[in-house]
Amino acid sequence: MVRGVKEATSGKPVFLISILLSGSSVWLAIAIAYFLEQPIRLNSNFPTILTALGGFIFGLGAAFNGGCGVSTISRFARGQVMMVATILGWLVSWLLFVDLFTDRAGKAYLISPVLHIMILIGLSVILLVVASKSDTKTRKLWLSMLGIGVMAGLVFIYEPHWTPSGLLKSVGLSVWNGNGAAWPRSERFYLFFFLVLGMAIAAFVTKSFRFEFVSLIQLTKYFFSGTLMGLGAVMAGGGNDSQLLVALPALSAAGLVATLSIVIGIFIGLKLLDK
């Protein structure tokens, strides 16, 4: 999302818009899940002050880090070892603050499954029409983002809490409460491992993998950025991965507010870095 905000501020909003709408194709996974008699339950909540504040703090941290949650893991998989500091900072925040903000979500509300799917299908159709009328590069971008939404939805059928931020949240709750029974299932760690492995393989195939090291001062900066991202994710109910691929497809008002707050936080964070 950081790259998307950068491009949007320079008059090229296509990448940011494609990211924000990437979850619209989750309807396909929802339909498959109902067909398999394993209906997906996407939670929709009203936003709170914590939702907006958490999204904003996450956005600031992402701007200082130079990337959001998934892009942090992607950069690590491409050899940028300093991202370990960001991940550690994120984990520390989950461990310290997750119990303080648990069960602080806004009031839940229900959306008719038929209406839900129809809205998502409508968005997907609009994106496909836009893609068909775009140049080759833009069309590839739109279709790639829709593909990400489909894949995320299919993974959600198997593991609803598959996102990296969701995994860190579960680890934090288990450690904080000393509840070994709440420790994430091994399958969730497998999903995370293969996510990183897939990114690393893609980096080798595209010849974009190379080790990068930084100074101790820069590591401290990345750690601080990670703590901001972790704190924001705790307050908002998830990082940008959870908001884009779970909350927004659920048509959750909280997810919308959190995502917009992340964008605003990134924008302001980038402005602060430019000074």
Side-chain angles (χ1 to χ4, degrees), residues 3-257:
R3 173 189 162 189
V5 173
K6 285 182 178 178
E7 292 189 4
T9 55
S10 64
K12 300 176 181 178
V14 174
F15 187 64
L16 178 60
I17 294 174
S18 67
I19 292 174
L20 296 178
L21 297 178
S22 60
S24 62
S25 55
V26 168
W27 66 267
L28 181 59
I30 295 175
I32 292 174
Y34 273 98
F35 178 76
L36 297 175
E37 297 183 350
Q38 295 182 358
I40 293 177
R41 295 182 179 179
L42 296 175
N43 298 322
S44 301
N45 300 86
F46 289 106
T48 65
I49 295 298
L50 285 178
T51 305
L53 184 58
F56 179 77
I57 292 174
F58 182 93
L60 283 178
F64 298 153
N65 182 60
C68 296
V70 174
S71 62
T72 294
I73 298 171
S74 176
R75 290 168 65 186
F76 170 72
R78 295 199 305 270
Q80 298 184 29
V81 294
M82 60 280 202
M83 290 296 101
V84 172
T86 301
I87 296 171
L88 286 176
W90 198 343
L91 180 59
V92 166
S93 283
W94 277 110
L95 292 175
L96 292 178
F97 302 113
V98 67
D99 197 55
L100 297 177
F101 297 105
T102 300
D103 299 326
R104 298 292 183 90
K107 184 179 180 181
Y109 60 89
L110 297 176
I111 301 175
S112 164
V114 174
L115 177 61
H116 187 183
I117 291 180
M118 291 301 294
I119 291 174
L120 293 181
I121 290 177
L123 287 173
S124 297
V125 170
I126 292 173
L127 292 181
L128 287 173
V129 171
V130 172
S132 67
K133 296 182 179 298
S134 303
D135 58 72
T136 302
K137 182 179 179 181
T138 304
R139 185 184 306 117
K140 182 179 179 181
L141 174 63
W142 286 117
L143 295 178
S144 296
M145 288 301 175
L146 286 173
I148 289 174
V150 172
M151 296 304 296
L154 293 175
V155 174
F156 190 91
I157 296 175
Y158 175 73
E159 175 51 66
H161 305 288
W162 71 271
T163 61
S165 60
L167 176 63
L168 291 179
K169 178 181 180 180
S170 297
V171 170
L173 281 172
S174 177
V175 173
W176 182 272
N177 295 320
N179 183 5
W183 186 257
R185 296 187 306 153
S186 58
E187 289 85 350
R188 295 176 66 182
F189 290 98
Y190 294 153
L191 283 171
F192 181 79
F193 170 77
F194 283 107
L195 174 66
V196 176
L197 179 61
M199 290 176 172
I201 292 174
F204 277 108
V205 171
T206 58
K207 298 181 180 179
S208 60
F209 182 92
R210 67 177 183 275
F211 282 112
E212 294 184 28
F213 300 92
V214 296
S215 66
L216 181 60
I217 294 178
Q218 289 176 306
L219 282 177
T220 303
K221 167 201 163 187
Y222 286 116
F223 179 81
F224 173 71
S225 300
T227 58
L228 286 179
M229 293 169 68
L231 174 59
V234 171
M235 296 172 66
N240 68 309
D241 51 357
S242 296
Q243 305 299 342
L244 292 171
L245 299 174
V246 179
L248 285 185
L251 303 182
S252 172
L256 177 61
V257 169

